[in-house]
């Protein structure tokens, strides 16, 4: 493996871990059990701050997912 492949492999690993964590941090459309466990967060942070953080996290997740797919394609082309 060349040094470029190692670099892209490290980038892929970082983005993969970030995507897993970012998706797990997002709230779903329905808050069945998670709403009862983390219900105090809305009163502490306020409803608007929680929505803006969810919106920002959703946007960042989408951007990182696109970068992840592009990095996978570049690594695939480099290996062939």
């Amino acid at each position: 493996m060349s040094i470029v492949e190692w670099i892209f492999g490290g980038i892929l690993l970082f983005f993969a871990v970030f995507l897993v964590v970012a998706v797990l941090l997002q709230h779903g459309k329905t808050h069945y059990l998670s709403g009862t466990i983390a219900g105090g967060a809305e009163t502490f942070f306020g409803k608007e701050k929680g929505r803006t953080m969810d919106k920002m996290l959703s946007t960042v997740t989408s951007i990182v997912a696109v970068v992840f797919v592009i990095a996978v394609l570049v690594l695939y082309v480099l290996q062939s």
Side-chain angles (χ1 to χ4, degrees), residues 20-36:
V20 168
V21 171
V23 168
L24 289 175
L25 286 176
Q26 291 180 15
H27 291 199
K29 299 290 181 193
T30 56
H31 297 285
Y32 295 117
L33 185 59
S34 66
T36 59

Side-chain angles (χ1 to χ4, degrees), residues 43-71:
T43 59
F44 182 74
F45 291 116
K47 289 187 176 233
E48 292 301 317
K49 186 169 184 177
R51 287 184 187 150
T52 57
M53 287 179 18
D54 282 342
K55 176 80 172 148
M56 181 189 68
L57 190 59
S58 175
T59 305
V60 169
T61 302
S62 299
I63 291 169
V64 170
V66 169
V67 171
F68 180 78
V69 169
I70 291 170

Side-chain angles (χ1 to χ4, degrees), residues 7-16 18-19 59-76:
I7 291 172
F8 271 104
I11 291 171
L12 283 177
L13 184 63
F14 173 76
F15 284 142
F18 179 82
L19 281 173
T59 305
V60 169
T61 302
S62 299
I63 291 169
V64 170
V66 169
V67 171
F68 180 78
V69 169
I70 291 170
V72 167
L73 292 174
V74 168
L75 188 61
Y76 177 74

